Structure formats: C-alpha cells, structure tokens
Amino acid sequence: MSPFAAIEVGGTKINVAIGSAPDDLTIVRIPTRAPEETWPEVMHALTDLGKTRPFSAIGIASFGPIDLNPDSATYGHFRKTPKPGWTGFDLITPLTAAYPDLPIGLDTDVNGAALGERRWGGAKDLDTFVYVTVGTGLGVGLVVGEEPVHGLLHPEAGHIRVRRHPQDTYSGHCPFHGDCCEGLSCGPAIEARTGQKAETLPPDHPNWAIVGDYLGQLFCNLTLITSAQRILVGGGVGLNDAVLRGARQTCHALLGGYIEALETNDKFETYIQAAHLGDRAGVLGALELARRALSLESENSVQHRCSK
C-alpha cells in the first residue's frame, strides 16, 4: 500500500508521520507553540519525510474548534479556541499550496482517533460509538454509520455542564464556561486544583474520584443522547485506571438500569474501555483520514469519467 502522510495537531505536541498501518509508521514529534513558530516546523518535517517515502495523500486530525466545511471561506481555520494564538489560524492553505495535487482529509483529533479505533482498534465493526480523550483538554468524537458526525461545527461535548462534586471547590479552567466538564477534568484543571501535575499524583489521590465522577456524568449523557455501542477513552487523564473505574461507577449509577443492555455493573468493563491504540489513536486516525481522502478522490474521478 502506498504510504500516507498523517498530521496529528495536539494541544501539547504535533505528530507528523508517514506510513500505511500501525506497524508501518515513522513519526516526528514537534512541541505545540504559537502557530507561526510551529507550523513551519510541521511543513519542514513533512518535506523531509516525503523525500524518503513519497506519499499519496495527507490526513490531518486537529484539536478544535476548527471549520470542517469544505465550502466555507474559513475551511481549515481554527474557531474560538482556548489555545493561545491559534484562534483564526489557517492550517490548510499552507498544505494545499505545497501539495496542490494531493487529496487532503481534515477532521478533529477526536473524530480522527475514533476512525483509527474503528479501523485498527477497539471499535472494529461498530456502527455507532464515541471516542473521548482527556488530557490538555477534553474532546469527544462521535461516529455514526461509520462516518464522523459534523453539523454546525462538530461535537463539543467536553463543554457540557456537570453537577459539581461535593468535595470540589475549584472554580474551573475553561475560559468560556468555567466549570464545564472540560474545565473541571482536564490536565490544567487538575494541576490548578491540586497544585501538582496530573502525572505526579498517586493512584489513591482524591482528585481521581472527582474527575471520574465528572467523566461518568459525561458518559451517561453521551449514552442517552447517542445510544453508542461503546465509549473508548484516551488521553493522559482518561487512561488513568482510577478515573476509568470511577467513571464507570458513576455512569452506571446515573443510568439507573434504564438502558437494558447496561443494567448490570459488569457490563461497563466492556462498554467504557481504554482506547486500544493508546496514545497513537490520533496519528493513526490522521492516517485513516488520508486514506479516506484518497479513496473519495478516486471515486469522484470514476464518477466524472462515467458521466462523460
């Protein structure tokens, strides 16, 4: 299979990769700084990787919010984002200018990761499922009928309002909503609440019960709204065992047996799972976006020839 280029744009780092599958992937990691510093490095890395392995399409899985409508004048531009300096930045034009003949697939990092999980990970053969990542921020990707959901923008369920945990006095990190789910659960919120980075906290720290409760509320709402067949969880915070246990317990309690397929507590071990692709879900999702972009271009080319 011809290799693809994959760009995962994250809040703390950007992965630029060339490959065709999980066991065929070369990755260059770049710290996420201001876009005028970071994006030239991304383009340089892409050029260098392409010298040794020419690629046939590019996939981009990016944090958001970002305009995903190809007919929009601001396609590929970031919308209002908490990430300093990135609001309004256009990531797509430099790529189309440098690679005018290549198809480019663009989606959110969580939608991309969801597609990666469907192709190679924990969502194989599922029709409707959710991918949630909790790290620097909190993102939610929703796939229905094998396609990621878009609409006015794309799912931003990380910003739903949650009931505050009785032991939590932290005001919230989100610059738009304060104590939304992301504002109370993400890595920077944990650091502000505890005075320590999340990765330094011991497994029995009370913070994990608080975060697990907030995520359990989110998962309950996602279950009721989307009727997802599975919820996959990634990110440095989301993959914490104590957080996952707490989230399963809260989600089960809040559903109250209403969903028959999830009546018993043991069902949640398989219903809410750690992402199978781990921290590679996003970059592999970008690879899948590239594959889909090339496939769509090929289909459109065939249809065009047949219509003549």
Side-chain angles (χ1 to χ4, degrees):
M1 181 185 294
S2 174
F4 304 114
I7 305 173
E8 178 194 10
V9 186
T12 56
K13 68 178 183 299
I14 296 176
N15 289 319
V16 184
I18 299 292
S20 59
D23 57 355
D24 172 34
L25 207 61
T26 302
I27 302 176
V28 175
R29 292 180 171 84
I30 299 168
T32 305
R33 304 181 302 280
E36 59 270 17
E37 298 177 65
T38 308
W39 212 245
E41 289 189 37
V42 170
M43 298 299 297
H44 181 71
L46 199 59
T47 300
D48 281 353
L49 289 170
K51 288 177 182 176
T52 55
R53 295 190 72 186
F55 45 86
S56 55
I58 302 171
I60 312 163
S62 174
F63 73 85
I66 191 167
D67 189 343
L68 299 176
N69 181 2
D71 298 324
S72 170
T74 56
Y75 174 62
H77 290 62
F78 285 92
R79 315 309 296 167
K80 294 178 181 178
T81 172
K83 188 69 176 172
W86 286 81
T87 296
F89 177 69
D90 173 13
L91 62 70
I92 202 77
T93 297
L95 288 165
T96 55
Y99 302 96
D101 299 324
L102 293 188
I104 298 176
L106 170 66
D107 215 314
T108 63
D109 51 354
V110 281
N111 272 345
L115 292 176
E117 287 284 343
R118 190 183 190 284
R119 184 165 179 81
W120 293 292
K124 290 179 181 178
D125 303 321
L126 296 184
D127 175 73
T128 301
F129 65 95
V130 175
Y131 179 92
V132 178
T133 184
V134 194
T136 306
L138 197 167
V140 175
L142 171 61
V143 172
V144 176
E146 303 181 23
E147 295 295 332
V149 170
H150 302 148
L152 290 175
L153 187 60
H154 43 72
E156 282 290 336
H159 292 275
I160 69 165
R161 312 317 292 259
V162 291
R163 295 175 180 171
R164 294 188 65 89
H165 191 281
Q167 297 175 10
D168 189 14
T169 59
Y170 176 56
S171 60
H173 174 75
C174 178
F176 296 102
H177 312 115
D179 60 352
C180 62
C181 193
E182 175 177 288
L184 294 170
S185 306
C186 67
I190 293 170
E191 184 174 357
R193 179 187 292 116
T194 65
Q196 294 179 243
K197 290 188 177 298
E199 58 268 26
T200 69
L201 297 176
D204 59 350
H205 195 281
N207 170 81
W208 301 129
I210 293 172
V211 173
D213 179 68
Y214 292 141
L215 294 184
Q217 293 182 57
L218 169 64
F219 297 164
C220 173
N221 287 331
L222 289 172
T223 300
L224 293 170
I225 292 169
T226 70
S227 198
Q229 296 159 300
R230 182 167 299 153
I231 296 174
L232 294 165
V233 188
V237 175
L239 289 171
N240 181 287
D241 287 339
V243 168
L244 278 175
R245 285 197 304 272
R248 290 183 183 116
Q249 290 168 4
T250 295
C251 185
H252 174 241
L254 290 176
L255 286 172
Y258 184 69
I259 306 296
E260 292 184 11
L262 300 173
E263 281 184 320
T264 58
N265 194 51
D266 61 296
K267 300 289 187 182
F268 285 81
E269 293 296 321
T270 54
Y271 181 62
I272 299 172
Q273 294 187 23
H276 290 206
L277 300 178
D279 61 2
R280 296 201 305 163
V283 70
L284 287 169
L287 207 68
E288 172 64 3
L289 288 168
R291 187 196 69 80
R292 287 182 171 222
L294 181 62
S295 177
L296 180 62
E297 183 181 78
S298 299
E299 291 175 8
N300 290 340
S301 177
V302 169
Q303 291 175 1
H304 178 70
R305 290 197 302 270
C306 292
S307 66
K308 288 185 177 180

